[in-house]
Amino acid sequence: MIVKSYKLSDVKNLKSSFFLFYGENEGQKDEAITEYFLKDFKGEVVKYDESQIIENKNNFFDTCYNESLFENSKVIIVLRVTSKSYEIVKELISKKIYNKKVIFNSKTLDKKSKIRQLFEKENDLVCIPFYLEENYSLHKIASQFFRNNKISISNENINLIIENCSGDRRNLKNEMNKILNYFLDKNKINKDEIVKLINLYERENFFELIDNCLAQNHKRVIKIINNNTYDKNDSMIIIRSFVTRIKRLILLKKNFLETQDLDKAIDGFRPPIFWKDKDIVKKQVDIWSSKDVCKLLDEV
C-alpha cells in the first residue's frame, strides 16, 4: 500500500512489519524513522547496508527471523536499497516476523522498479515516497527554528540558506545547526556571516549558471562555464539545484496562468524572489511552456 508523506502519522497504526522509504529527502526520512519508529522505543536498532545483506543474506535473515523469550523488539534499517536486493526482499516478506519492523531505505525508484511495485501492490507492505520539498515548506521549518532559538534573521537570509539545501530537510538542519553553534552567544546574524558559513559564493555561481541557462542566455552560460572548473561534487550540486529552480518555474507558470499577471505571480511567490532576480525570472516564464518545463524536470 502507498502512504503519502503528509500522512506519516498513519504509520503508527499500521500492523505491517515491512516498510519501503524511497526518494531524495533524507531529512524527512530521518524524522519519520525517529518519530514513528524510534521515539520511546526500548528495543534494539540494527542497521545494514544493502551490500552487507547481498554478501551474507543468511545473517540478515537470522536477525529478522530469530525469536527468543528474552529478546527485545527490533527495528531493522537497510540503507541504500536498490533492485539488486529484490529477490532477497521478496524472500524475506514471504514469511511472518514478530516483534520487528524492517525499513528499506532507497533513493529515487521509478514506476517500473520491482521493489516499488511489490510494496505498492501488497496491502500488508507499506510504501512511502519522500520527495524533495518546496522552498515554502523549508522556509516554515527554518523560521520556526530561528524563532525557537531566539536568533534574529531576515527572510532574505533564510532564503539564502534554503537555496543551499536542494530541497532536502537534512541539508537544511545541518546548515541551521552550523549557524546555531557558530552564533551561540549572539542573537543576530547578517548576510555576510551566512554566506561565509555555508560557502554560498560557489553556490551563487551555480545558480547564476542555472538561471541563465533557463533564460537561454547562451553567451552568459558559456562565459560562466569557461571561467569555472567543476568537479564531480559540483556537478551533483548543479543538478540538484537545477531541479530546485525548475520546480520553482513550474509553480510560477501555474501562478501566472491563474492570475494572468506575471508581476503579480512573481510578487506573490513564496518564498519571495529577490528583486535583482525578477527580470531573469520573467524571461524564464516567458520562454518556457508548462508542458516543456515539466518535460525538462523529468529529463533532469
Side-chain angles (χ1 to χ4, degrees):
M1 78 175 75
I2 301 172
V3 175
K4 299 296 186 182
S5 57
Y6 62 85
K7 289 188 174 181
L8 278 172
S9 57
D10 294 349
V11 170
K12 281 186 174 182
N13 302 317
L14 297 177
K15 303 295 184 182
S16 178
S17 298
F18 302 103
F19 300 81
L20 174 65
F21 288 8
Y22 75 89
E24 295 293 330
N25 197 337
E26 298 297 335
Q28 195 175 17
K29 290 181 193 174
D30 291 343
E31 286 188 8
I33 291 171
T34 299
E35 179 67 24
Y36 303 114
F37 292 87
L38 303 184
K39 188 176 181 180
D40 301 323
F41 179 66
K42 305 300 183 183
E44 182 182 3
V45 179
V46 183
K47 291 186 179 182
Y48 284 90
D49 191 277
E50 182 188 63
S51 60
Q52 292 175 291
I53 69 172
I54 290 175
E55 289 173 6
N56 191 346
K57 73 173 185 178
N58 290 331
N59 175 269
F60 174 62
F61 284 167
D62 286 344
T63 303
C64 295
Y65 292 141
N66 284 355
E67 299 296 328
S68 169
L69 292 174
F70 306 101
E71 185 182 63
N72 290 324
S73 300
K74 286 183 181 177
V75 172
I76 302 164
I77 303 170
V78 184
L79 303 172
R80 287 176 280 276
V81 173
T82 68
S83 58
K84 293 178 182 178
S85 56
Y86 171 72
E87 294 298 334
I88 295 174
V89 173
K90 191 174 179 182
E91 184 178 348
L92 174 68
I93 64 178
S94 66
K95 301 177 183 178
K96 287 189 177 294
I97 63 173
Y98 301 92
N99 297 323
K100 299 179 184 71
K101 301 286 186 182
V102 184
I103 303 168
F104 297 97
N105 188 343
S106 174
K107 292 291 188 180
T108 300
L109 297 173
D110 62 37
K111 292 181 179 179
K112 295 180 181 179
S113 164
K114 289 184 177 180
I115 290 181
R116 176 176 166 180
Q117 289 180 351
L118 178 66
F119 274 79
E120 286 181 343
K121 291 178 181 178
E122 298 293 333
N123 288 329
D124 55 346
L125 306 178
V126 180
C127 180
I128 308 176
F130 290 84
Y131 300 115
L132 294 177
E133 293 179 88
E134 303 296 343
N135 286 358
Y136 176 73
S137 299
L138 296 178
H139 194 282
K140 288 174 63 177
I141 294 170
S143 297
Q144 187 64 48
F145 176 88
F146 289 116
R147 275 199 302 272
N148 291 345
N149 287 283
K150 298 180 180 179
I151 295 175
S152 177
I153 182 171
S154 69
N155 283 328
E156 179 181 2
N157 287 335
I158 290 177
N159 290 338
L160 283 178
I161 299 167
I162 291 170
E163 292 283 13
N164 200 45
C165 297
S166 302
D168 190 336
R169 197 176 293 193
R170 178 190 287 178
N171 295 339
L172 176 62
K173 287 194 171 183
N174 288 340
E175 297 295 356
M176 292 190 302
N177 285 327
K178 191 192 302 182
I179 291 169
L180 179 63
N181 291 332
Y182 190 81
F183 293 94
L184 200 58
D185 299 323
K186 298 177 64 175
N187 61 7
K188 192 171 184 179
I189 184 169
N190 61 46
K191 180 178 179 179
D192 290 338
E193 291 168 322
I194 289 176
V195 167
K196 184 177 179 181
L197 265 180
I198 63 178
N199 302 316
L200 196 62
Y201 289 119
E202 291 180 8
R203 302 297 173 91
E204 286 182 336
N205 209 11
F206 295 155
F207 279 117
E208 183 185 6
L209 171 64
I210 294 163
D211 281 333
N212 280 281
C213 184
L214 288 172
Q216 298 183 10
N217 295 330
H218 302 299
K219 289 183 179 180
R220 183 60 185 158
V221 169
I222 291 169
K223 185 175 181 180
I224 294 170
I225 291 173
N226 287 338
N227 289 338
N228 291 276
T229 302
Y230 300 115
D231 59 23
K232 287 184 179 180
N233 290 332
D234 293 334
S235 299
M236 292 303 299
I237 294 169
I238 289 170
I239 291 169
R240 294 183 67 135
S241 301
F242 220 124
V243 170
T244 300
R245 279 296 200 248
I246 295 170
K247 286 184 175 181
R248 183 180 75 173
L249 183 53
I250 289 172
L251 290 174
L252 281 167
K253 290 293 297 185
K254 180 181 177 182
N255 292 350
F256 176 49
L257 289 173
E258 290 175 352
T259 63
Q260 295 298 310
D261 185 326
L262 185 52
D263 287 321
K264 188 175 180 180
I266 292 174
D267 290 340
F269 191 81
R270 293 293 179 272
I273 294 171
F274 300 152
W275 63 268
K276 64 182 179 63
D277 296 327
K278 287 185 178 180
D279 286 341
I280 199 166
V281 169
K282 285 182 180 180
K283 189 173 181 181
Q284 292 169 7
V285 175
D286 284 337
I287 289 172
W288 291 90
S289 69
S290 297
K291 180 180 178 181
D292 287 341
V293 75
C294 288
K295 182 180 178 183
L296 177 65
L297 178 61
D298 288 337
E299 290 173 351
V300 173

